[in-house]
Amino acid sequence: MRKQRQWIIVSLLLVLGLVLAACGQPSPAPSGEAPSGQAATGGEAGGEAVTVRVWTHQNESFNAGLQALADAYMAEHPNVDIQFETFDYDTYIQTLQTALPAGTEADVLQMFGTWTCSYVEGQNLDPVPDSVITMANAQEKFFAAPLAGYTCDDTLYGLPMEFNIEYGAALVNTAIAEESGVQDITAGWENWDDFIADAAKMSKFEDGVMTRAGYNFTAGDALGFSFYSLIVQQGGSYLDSDAQQFTINTPEGKKALELMKRFVDEKLVDPLLFNDESNWVGDSFFQQTSAMGLVGPWVIAEYAGDFPDVAAVTKYVPLPYWGDAPKFVADSGWGLTVSANSKVKDAAWDFVKFVTLNDENALQWNIASGTIPAIAANTQGDPGQKLITEFPHFEPFLPLLQYGQYVGHMPDRDLLWYDITYQHILNMLQGNESIDDALSAMEREANEMW
Amino acid sequence: MAESTISTQPVPQVARKPGIFSGRDRAIKIFLAATVIPMVLYMAFWSLFPILWGFTLSLFEYSARRAGAGGFLGMGGANPYIGLQHYVNMLDFSEEAPKIVKQFHQSLKTTVLFAFLVVPLNMSITLPLAVMLDSIHRRLQPFFRTFFFLPIVTASVGVAIMWGFIFHPQLGLLNGILTAISGKMVAIQWLGDPHLKFLGIPVALLAVIAAYLWQDIGYNTLIFIAALQSIPQSLRDAAKVDGVNSLQMFWHVTIPLLRPTILLAAVLTMISAFQVFDIIQVMTNGGPQDQTRVLVIDIYYNAFRFQRMGWASAVSVVLFLLVLVISLIQTRLLRTEWEY
């Protein structure tokens, strides 16, 4: 009996130990991540010790560039400690969506401009103080498209770090062009007829099956940006004057889809074989199953290391356009915002100013991260030349940036792009839906968002 | 003589109810409570509470983006209480139904089709396979058991990527074989062509089922082998004495004796099929034209990508009820009242 009791006591202790271990504190965060409970003492960035927590998504080159600027800032402000906490992209979106309403976010938040206004509605973000920059000065300094994402009801809530461009120039494999008999492709095209003729020459077939697309534009981003850019090039708009309803089923929308259908009919791409699910444009281009593709310049940094031979013969060439200027729609891109709940707003804004408003620092980050500057002055003159020397493939994009138009504030841009626009346009291109049906369905489904 | 006034009646005593932790086995009871209660609390916190919370959310037009706008725990205020409206909306079968309702209908149909194809296919492969493996030489059995069980311990995402390559229209193994056989280029878009159907079932769904079965069959095979080995040899010997052949042995002895195991395997496979997510997410992402969009994919997109938590919770409740009802029906149909 005594022995049995001893066993019971030992077992109880063991269970208790396990329960305590399970309920205990997690192991300390790895270096580089800040302890979440650390209180930041507010005040000026001059005297009292201040800790500024910064949340970013995990992108090696983005974060290395930001860390370098943070180190420089801390050297200038020894009382300020900038602490980064990073999240993988999907987790970051979910963390922002839940932490901001709950008020548990960091002081400085890396934000994709297009998301900004949805958080402003919940009063989670701090307006940019005039002491940092006024709206008028910001409009003068930054390109319109990246800045617009951070502008909600004529108030600025963050500052952009990059210009996110997905339309305006096509990725071209010059070796394939030459081999297909297309002369001097880098000179560009006068109109869509010329473009189609060249792209068709580069398509390749075997037993009637397309083995190489002349122009791969059937990915999720590419279809959305092509469609909405073609609408604005005709002087149309896919949002009504109050920006409260979508107006997609319009003559401009129809003409845009007719051109895209023509690309398929003239065998520039087989939308059954080339789409987001198979032969995605980036993979396909670098595997040389697409001679031209529509995707932003960020793709070069992503693939050049693995496909150096293809990267060596790759150039961006501006696309033809309708109207008097190569207008296009663009997302707002990554930038920095400050939480409305931050107790160290002054220090937080001072750091944001250091990173985004100082031309040299901003350019340093763009070069480190391989992104196109949001500051107009950094795309011209010596800074522009410096950028082109580092990233020659940016060159065709720089003259286009002034024509960029922000995609517009809407309840859910991803829903419009990937669940509505991509699905219906791909269906239409695959022959499962008429142009009129696709337009009408897109408009109806998009308006269900409001 | 006066009678004695002293009562001989026994003094009534309040009967003491034995305490939960009293008696000779008190120590054992305490031990059991100490070991079980933490687990019950753990399960209640991590399972029961989320289920109830999910059901509660389904009664609200809830989005985490609006949680700070007012109300209690993010509900109410900007996330208003709408009662059973989500469930009512699910019953809108009209042409004008919103896209999310149509996607829910499609997902429900696809999930049921997926599960009802997977279970019989799985059973019809794993049971005969287990009988075959059970009949081979004992020395070889571990090798084959390992061989068929290996896919189970392979990451689902890896399996999905591998099968995605097999079905790739231009670079895939399957089309490569067809090209070699036919002598001309074959580029069938197995995972992305919405027109491609077999007996009215989207080929993309069948392709996903093939990948799912490849990964899943080892599990049930192992369960059946274990069950086969527990059938008393005396029953088989008795059947042999009665003159049954191998096929009769399988149909009239093995199958009836395996009924409880078949029930268990069928229920587990059905539940697992209703929860399929990763293989489909990687191979087709629910496409083409939502032909492989199952309920869990629908829930994932609505909850975490488009932040319609209230609607996603309502869909989760439907999935929960679906699994519950089908499991109960299966249990009822395959119930046995004896054991060997």
Side-chain angles (χ1 to χ4, degrees):
Chain A
M1 191 66 181
R2 198 172 173 180
K3 209 168 184 181
Q4 191 185 3
R5 272 194 188 158
Q6 279 174 350
W7 269 110
I8 289 169
I9 289 166
V10 169
S11 306
L12 277 172
L13 286 172
L14 188 67
V15 169
L16 192 66
L18 286 171
V19 170
L20 287 175
C23 299
Q25 289 291 317
S27 56
S31 62
E33 294 198 4
S36 59
Q38 184 157 351
T41 51
E44 293 298 316
E48 203 180 335
V50 174
T51 300
V52 177
R53 291 168 61 212
V54 183
W55 277 4
T56 67
H57 81 289
Q58 282 164 0
N59 177 311
E60 213 172 305
S61 55
F62 275 41
N63 292 340
L66 212 48
Q67 183 67 57
L69 290 174
D71 292 341
Y73 183 85
M74 287 189 283
E76 280 181 26
H77 304 80
N79 63 314
V80 181
D81 183 20
I82 309 284
Q83 296 190 344
F84 288 95
E85 295 169 47
T86 64
F87 305 81
D88 74 81
Y89 181 78
D90 286 341
T91 309
Y92 190 51
I93 296 175
Q94 288 162 26
T95 306
L96 285 179
Q97 287 174 346
T98 51
L100 276 156
T104 55
E105 69 280 10
D107 305 297
V108 175
L109 308 165
Q110 186 191 41
M111 186 74 72
F112 199 65
T114 311
W115 307 338
T116 306
C117 292
S118 64
Y119 295 112
V120 169
E121 282 169 23
Q123 299 176 336
N124 307 120
L125 298 178
D126 196 43
V128 180
D130 281 352
S131 56
V132 173
I133 192 168
T134 62
M135 175 64 93
N137 288 343
Q139 283 169 339
E140 208 172 294
K141 190 173 185 72
F142 293 103
F143 283 111
L147 189 69
Y150 295 90
T151 311
C152 317
D153 293 328
D154 298 325
T155 306
L156 201 54
Y157 285 90
L159 295 168
M161 299 168 77
E162 60 141 352
F163 194 126
N164 186 289
I165 187 167
E166 293 284 338
Y167 189 82
L171 198 59
V172 176
N173 185 317
T174 54
I176 292 178
E178 209 175 304
E179 163 199 311
S180 311
V182 178
Q183 301 298 315
D184 195 17
I185 196 161
T186 51
W189 305 273
E190 282 289 313
N191 51 48
W192 286 114
D193 291 337
D194 292 351
F195 173 82
I196 290 169
D198 279 356
K201 281 184 199 164
M202 292 190 277
S203 292
K204 201 171 167 186
F205 299 87
E206 201 179 319
D207 298 323
V209 173
M210 181 174 277
T211 52
R212 186 173 69 209
Y215 176 50
N216 184 341
F217 73 105
T218 37
D221 275 326
L223 280 182
F225 283 107
S226 295
F227 177 59
Y228 295 112
S229 296
L230 289 169
I231 288 177
V232 300
Q233 282 180 9
Q234 299 170 69
S237 173
Y238 48 91
L239 284 164
D240 69 1
S241 52
D242 298 332
Q244 290 299 314
Q245 285 286 301
F246 287 98
T247 51
I248 293 169
N249 192 0
T250 58
E252 291 86 4
K254 187 166 184 173
K255 195 174 167 192
L257 288 194
E258 281 168 351
L259 177 66
M260 292 159 92
K261 185 77 170 70
R262 198 177 148 207
F263 292 160
V264 173
D265 293 343
E266 305 241 6
K267 300 194 186 311
L268 270 52
V269 66
D270 180 343
L272 260 182
L273 301 179
F274 295 81
N275 49 54
D276 262 358
E277 275 65 59
S278 63
N279 295 306
W280 179 75
V281 57
D283 296 336
S284 174
F285 180 85
F286 283 93
Q287 287 164 2
Q288 305 197 64
T289 54
S290 291
M292 292 198 287
L294 186 62
V295 62
W298 57 269
V299 81
I300 302 279
E302 195 89 7
Y303 285 85
D306 293 328
F307 299 92
D309 297 346
V310 181
V313 293
T314 294
K315 295 263 188 242
Y316 270 99
V317 180
L319 286 166
Y321 55 89
W322 285 327
D324 54 0
K327 291 180 187 166
F328 64 96
V329 297
D331 271 319
S332 182
W334 290 101
L336 296 178
T337 59
V338 171
S339 159
N341 299 311
S342 172
K343 292 184 172 62
V344 290
K345 282 181 193 165
D346 290 346
W349 276 120
D350 198 54
F351 175 64
V352 171
K353 187 178 170 182
F354 180 82
V355 172
T356 60
L357 290 179
N358 179 304
D359 288 3
E360 275 180 33
N361 291 346
L363 185 65
Q364 182 187 323
W365 183 81
N366 288 129
I367 288 173
S369 60
T371 53
I372 291 179
I375 295 176
N378 278 347
T379 64
Q380 298 148 9
D382 287 345
Q385 206 49 54
K386 193 176 172 188
L387 191 73
I388 290 168
T389 309
E390 291 281 342
F391 302 104
H393 54 274
F394 281 178
E395 192 173 3
F397 287 101
L398 301 186
L400 302 177
L401 301 178
Q402 58 185 309
Y403 303 110
Q405 178 181 315
Y406 178 54
V407 290
H409 296 305
M410 55 190 74
D412 197 326
R413 178 267 190 205
D414 281 5
L415 186 69
L416 177 70
W417 241 248
Y418 306 122
D419 216 36
I420 297 172
T421 309
Y422 170 69
Q423 300 291 348
H424 283 290
I425 297 183
L426 189 68
N427 265 345
M428 183 276 293
L429 296 176
Q430 290 177 343
N432 308 318
E433 211 172 356
S434 72
I435 287 179
D436 288 333
D437 287 348
L439 284 169
S440 132
M442 279 193 285
E443 183 168 289
R444 181 170 49 79
E445 290 172 12
N447 280 324
E448 284 168 10
M449 278 200 285
W450 301 101
Chain B
M1 216 165 138
E3 274 186 88
S4 169
T5 55
I6 298 168
S7 170
T8 54
Q9 297 270 322
V11 178
Q13 285 190 347
V14 179
R16 285 183 66 187
K17 214 175 169 183
I20 295 173
F21 295 114
S22 62
R24 286 184 62 202
D25 52 357
R26 183 170 173 268
I28 292 172
K29 284 177 179 172
I30 291 173
F31 171 72
L32 287 175
T35 49
V36 171
I37 287 172
M39 292 316 294
V40 169
L41 291 176
Y42 180 87
M43 292 294 288
F45 187 76
W46 291 111
S47 298
L48 193 60
F49 174 69
I51 289 171
L52 295 174
W53 187 250
F55 179 73
T56 310
L57 279 185
S58 75
L59 306 177
F60 288 79
E61 184 65 51
Y62 183 86
S63 168
R65 279 182 191 165
R66 300 189 296 258
F72 173 70
L73 286 177
M75 293 188 284
N79 291 318
Y81 174 76
I82 55 164
L84 297 173
Q85 194 56 49
H86 284 317
Y87 299 97
V88 173
N89 291 345
M90 285 175 182
L91 302 175
D92 182 357
F93 295 97
S94 70
E95 273 297 307
E96 289 74 37
K99 186 179 173 78
I100 51 167
V101 175
K102 286 182 182 166
Q103 282 181 324
F104 164 71
H105 293 157
Q106 175 68 36
S107 308
L108 185 61
K109 205 174 97 182
T110 305
T111 307
V112 172
L113 186 60
F114 182 87
F116 278 85
L117 283 171
V118 159
V119 174
L121 282 171
N122 185 305
M123 294 294 137
S124 56
I125 294 169
T126 54
L127 192 52
L129 188 65
V131 173
M132 276 194 279
L133 291 181
D134 188 49
S135 65
I136 61 174
H137 195 282
R138 293 223 170 257
R139 275 191 168 180
L140 289 172
Q141 279 186 11
F143 168 75
F144 282 102
R145 277 204 300 263
T146 309
F147 181 76
F148 285 104
F149 197 74
L150 270 179
I152 295 275
V153 293
T154 310
S156 294
V157 171
V159 170
I161 290 171
M162 183 192 78
W163 279 89
F165 274 116
I166 290 174
F167 289 121
H168 192 282
Q170 286 132 316
L171 312 170
L173 179 68
L174 187 54
N175 281 344
I177 292 169
L178 294 176
T179 299
I181 293 169
S182 67
K184 63 173 195 169
M185 178 81 173
V186 175
I188 299 169
Q189 177 53 294
W190 301 101
L191 299 174
D193 187 348
H195 303 295
L196 221 54
K197 292 192 177 169
F198 178 72
L199 300 175
I201 302 165
V203 166
L205 186 67
L206 294 174
V208 168
I209 288 173
Y212 184 84
L213 285 174
W214 179 84
Q215 190 187 22
D216 202 42
I217 54 169
Y219 191 68
N220 282 350
T221 306
L222 217 63
I223 291 179
F224 286 134
I225 289 173
L228 284 166
Q229 287 173 351
S230 67
I231 294 176
Q233 189 57 36
S234 57
L235 293 174
R236 296 182 198 216
D237 293 341
K240 276 183 194 161
V241 169
D242 287 341
V244 300
N245 61 31
S246 300
L247 202 61
Q248 286 170 324
M249 177 84 84
F250 180 70
W251 282 114
H252 300 296
V253 179
T254 308
I255 294 271
L257 290 174
L258 283 183
R259 228 173 140 182
T261 312
I262 292 172
L263 165 68
L264 174 78
V267 170
L268 291 178
T269 307
M270 180 70 86
I271 291 171
S272 149
F274 272 110
Q275 293 171 342
V276 64
F277 174 73
D278 33 18
I279 278 190
I280 292 183
Q281 166 81 355
V282 176
M283 283 179 73
T284 63
N285 201 16
Q289 284 185 11
D290 290 340
Q291 284 179 349
T292 59
R293 187 179 175 114
V294 287
L295 280 174
V296 183
I297 297 253
D298 195 49
I299 291 166
Y300 168 76
Y301 275 111
N302 279 306
F304 300 112
R305 191 151 179 192
F306 304 131
Q307 282 296 321
R308 301 172 183 138
M309 283 281 182
W311 174 261
S313 300
V315 178
S316 309
V317 171
V318 171
L319 177 62
F320 169 74
L321 293 175
L322 199 64
V323 171
L324 183 72
V325 168
I326 289 176
S327 301
L328 288 176
I329 292 171
Q330 277 183 322
T331 311
R332 182 105 189 159
L333 287 178
L334 291 168
R335 187 165 58 192
T336 54
E337 288 169 358
W338 47 265
E339 281 182 31
Y340 54 86

